Amino acid sequence: MAQASDPPYFGISPDEAEAELDIPTSTDGFAEIARACAAGRDDLASRGLEENGQRQLRLFSTWEITRYLIPVAPAHFRRVLKGNPELPQGRSETDGGAKWFTLDEVLRLRAHFAAEGSKAKNYLPYRPKGLPAKTVAVANFKGGVGKTSTAAQLAMSAALDGYRVLVIDLDSQGSMTSIFGGKVADEWQTVFPLLARHYAGHLQAENRRRMERGEGPITLDDTLTEALRLRSKDLIQGTHWPNIDLIGAQLNLYWAEFQVPVWRMQGRGWKLWDALTDILSEDGILDAYDLVILDTPPALGYLTINGLAAADILLVPTGASFLEFDSTGRFFDMLHTTFRSIEEGENLAARALGRPEMAFQWDAVRAVVTRYDGSQQAELAGLMQAYLGRTLSPHRQDFTALIGQAGEQVQGIYEADYRDFNRETYARGRETFDATYAAFKRLLYGAWRRDERLAREAAE
């Protein structure tokens, strides 16, 4: 018999262990567990819903607006509202209390200050005229590094800054879709039909060439025929954020990982890595939005390859631990192998046909340390910085109590009402996420300005 001071794994009785054991689990058992999880998920998600069952973004106070959203002094902000009664005036919960505004009203106020305010201040975020949206992929095949939460907070930060954002969930787990309250019935409301449409377009072009050679056409099945009728706007759904839209995901999206290689075998000339970029450009999405943010699956499959190939900026969240650093290194190694293989295959044919060779290129690639604990991880983070240099963002995204509290309410950090904490705690808690966005914004501005300069030089 085990003594009280013995480790808990000493003295376990096989008979007692058998008595505690459940009956064997069948495949139907997985369905029961899934139903329990679904019920729990719906219960938790409902905490962030209004009485009508819809999610609604909280209001923003004059203090928040003048500190974080519009660079004006509070007194001047109030004078402008008083002098322009046609502008949103906000609402007070008590007589003489603070004024609160919806984000849509904040965006209207920002536009007013941009048109009528000081020309020395930048009230609107920088977006060069005539240039397409920037596409940002957040990727790593290591789970638990904060990939989806980083992508979501980035989308919210950009929206608060005034950008029009489209979030595309490429992960069949659908976590990003849940964050933004998306409803996705099946794979036909995900990016799947966009990939199918791109492949169908390839087959149509191939059929034209076959007809010129006097050959019979390749038949398009019902899936491809239906996909040709859909456009990106048919899949985009609004969210409770006025300037964040969503193309969601759900479990059936994983079917793409099986269907895409079948299409590749049937149409070897199909450039699947161009599918997402081509479709978004063809449908005008890169003109309608400022940023497209892609949340990728935690694996380097066909959906991730599409997302990475479409990206202008690649962010790779990682923890400051040996295993996460090691996994991130292997992720970059796999990126090199995958995209070099595509380049070599394409360029072999290009050289034979006398065509220009292709090469993938990203405006910026950054690894970002997330869930950082400076008291425990400073040494390893410093070592990672020494090895990775500029590839690792010098900003560390701290883990704060605000993360856990917001997570319990099924909210993003920027969706949390500071009155649920206190003003000072909220201000400290969001500092690390503001700094994360600031580091990204420098990459975004630099990439757009370089594009502007290159376009100007090409026109001279």
Side-chain angles (χ1 to χ4, degrees):
M1 178 176 293
Q3 303 298 313
S5 59
D6 287 341
Y9 47 82
F10 281 7
I12 295 176
S13 165
D15 291 333
E16 292 177 359
E18 183 192 11
E20 296 169 359
L21 199 62
D22 296 327
I23 62 173
T25 299
S26 66
T27 52
D28 288 340
F30 291 141
E32 294 176 11
I33 297 170
R35 282 193 291 270
C37 289
R41 181 178 63 244
D42 292 343
D43 177 42
L44 290 171
S46 67
R47 300 183 187 184
L49 303 181
E50 301 299 311
E51 291 183 359
N52 62 4
Q54 301 296 315
R55 297 196 68 181
Q56 183 173 323
L57 187 61
R58 66 178 179 87
L59 303 179
F60 296 83
S61 70
T62 300
W63 170 75
E64 280 185 282
I65 293 170
T66 56
R67 173 161 180 170
Y68 294 112
L69 305 180
I70 303 177
V72 294
H76 179 61
F77 181 78
R78 287 189 285 268
R79 284 196 299 271
V80 170
L81 294 189
K82 185 175 182 180
N84 296 272
E86 75 281 2
L87 291 175
Q89 298 294 310
R91 57 201 60 78
S92 298
E93 296 178 349
T94 60
D95 291 339
K99 292 289 186 69
W100 294 80
F101 301 78
T102 67
L103 181 56
D104 194 53
E105 290 172 333
V106 173
L107 296 174
R108 290 170 56 193
L109 291 170
R110 179 185 272 125
H112 173 82
F113 278 98
E116 306 294 337
S118 170
K119 301 306 178 185
K121 291 185 176 181
N122 296 320
Y123 295 102
L124 297 178
Y126 169 62
R127 164 74 190 272
K129 292 182 179 179
L131 292 181
K134 285 296 182 183
T135 301
V136 185
V138 184
N140 199 334
F141 59 31
K142 177 79 170 114
V145 295
K147 178 178 59 65
T148 297
S149 59
T150 296
Q153 303 297 350
L154 189 64
M156 294 177 190
S157 298
L160 290 174
D161 206 17
Y163 284 121
R164 297 162 299 170
V165 182
L166 175 64
V167 173
I168 301 181
D169 194 349
L170 296 175
D171 188 348
S172 59
Q173 295 178 90
S175 298
M176 180 70 87
T177 302
S178 294
I179 288 172
F180 286 105
K183 304 296 183 185
V184 182
D186 55 36
E187 69 271 22
W188 284 93
Q189 295 177 350
T190 72
V191 297
F192 174 77
L194 301 184
L195 304 183
R197 183 178 126 209
H198 192 268
Y199 176 62
H202 164 77
L203 289 187
Q204 288 180 321
E206 180 62 25
N207 280 341
R208 288 191 290 270
R209 290 188 289 268
R210 291 172 68 93
M211 291 178 65
E212 292 172 359
R213 297 194 299 265
E215 300 174 3
I218 301 169
T219 302
L220 274 64
D221 62 24
D222 292 344
T223 294
L224 299 178
T225 302
E226 179 65 24
L228 285 170
R229 302 189 183 101
L230 288 173
R231 293 297 179 266
S232 298
K233 64 180 179 61
D234 300 320
L235 309 174
I236 293 173
Q237 52 185 295
T239 73
H240 55 293
W241 287 72
N243 51 346
I244 298 179
D245 289 337
L246 171 73
I247 297 180
Q250 57 100 259
L251 189 60
N252 288 1
L253 176 59
Y254 195 70
W255 174 246
E257 298 292 353
F258 299 96
Q259 184 61 63
V260 168
V262 173
W263 291 337
R264 280 284 289 159
M265 290 294 293
Q266 295 171 342
R268 292 184 179 276
W270 177 46
K271 295 176 173 56
L272 74 94
W273 45 88
D274 288 339
L276 195 55
T277 303
D278 289 350
I279 291 296
L280 294 179
S281 178
E282 182 180 327
D283 289 351
I285 299 302
L286 301 183
D287 295 323
Y289 294 90
D290 301 306
L291 287 173
V292 178
I293 296 179
L294 309 174
D295 185 37
T296 64
L300 195 55
Y302 290 104
L303 290 167
T304 301
I305 288 173
N306 257 280
L308 295 175
D312 300 296
I313 297 173
L314 171 59
L315 300 181
V316 181
T318 181
S321 74
F322 169 78
L323 291 179
E324 289 166 307
F325 185 35
D326 179 56
S327 177
T328 297
R330 296 177 192 276
F331 177 67
F332 279 112
D333 187 40
M334 190 171 287
L335 291 185
H336 168 259
T337 302
T338 300
F339 286 102
R340 174 56 57 87
S341 175
I342 295 172
E343 289 173 344
E344 290 176 348
E346 288 294 297
N347 291 334
L348 183 64
R351 287 191 292 270
L353 297 171
R355 296 174 180 171
E357 296 186 13
M358 62 92 72
F360 291 101
Q361 194 171 62
W362 291 265
D363 289 328
V365 175
R366 290 290 185 275
V368 182
V369 172
T370 58
R371 306 176 72 84
Y372 177 66
D373 181 352
S375 65
Q376 302 289 329
Q377 300 174 321
E379 182 178 357
L380 185 52
L383 182 68
M384 292 168 62
Q385 192 77 62
Y387 278 104
L388 288 175
R390 289 173 57 84
T391 300
L392 181 64
S393 172
H395 167 67
R396 322 272 191 248
Q397 185 172 288
D398 297 329
F399 182 83
T400 70
L402 195 59
I403 297 175
Q405 288 171 282
E408 290 175 3
Q409 299 300 318
V410 199
Q411 294 173 325
I413 298 303
Y414 294 109
E415 293 178 321
D417 192 324
Y418 66 81
R419 292 173 295 179
D420 293 337
F421 316 97
N422 62 59
R423 189 179 290 187
E424 291 71 25
T425 300
Y426 176 79
R428 288 195 305 271
R430 66 173 284 170
E431 283 176 358
T432 188
F433 300 96
D434 289 346
T436 298
Y437 177 63
F440 164 75
K441 192 174 177 181
R442 293 186 70 86
L443 296 177
L444 177 67
Y445 273 26
W448 260 331
R449 180 51 59 90
R450 182 165 59 193
D451 289 348
E452 269 191 312
R453 177 178 56 79
L454 293 175
R456 185 173 60 250
E457 291 173 356
E460 292 174 352

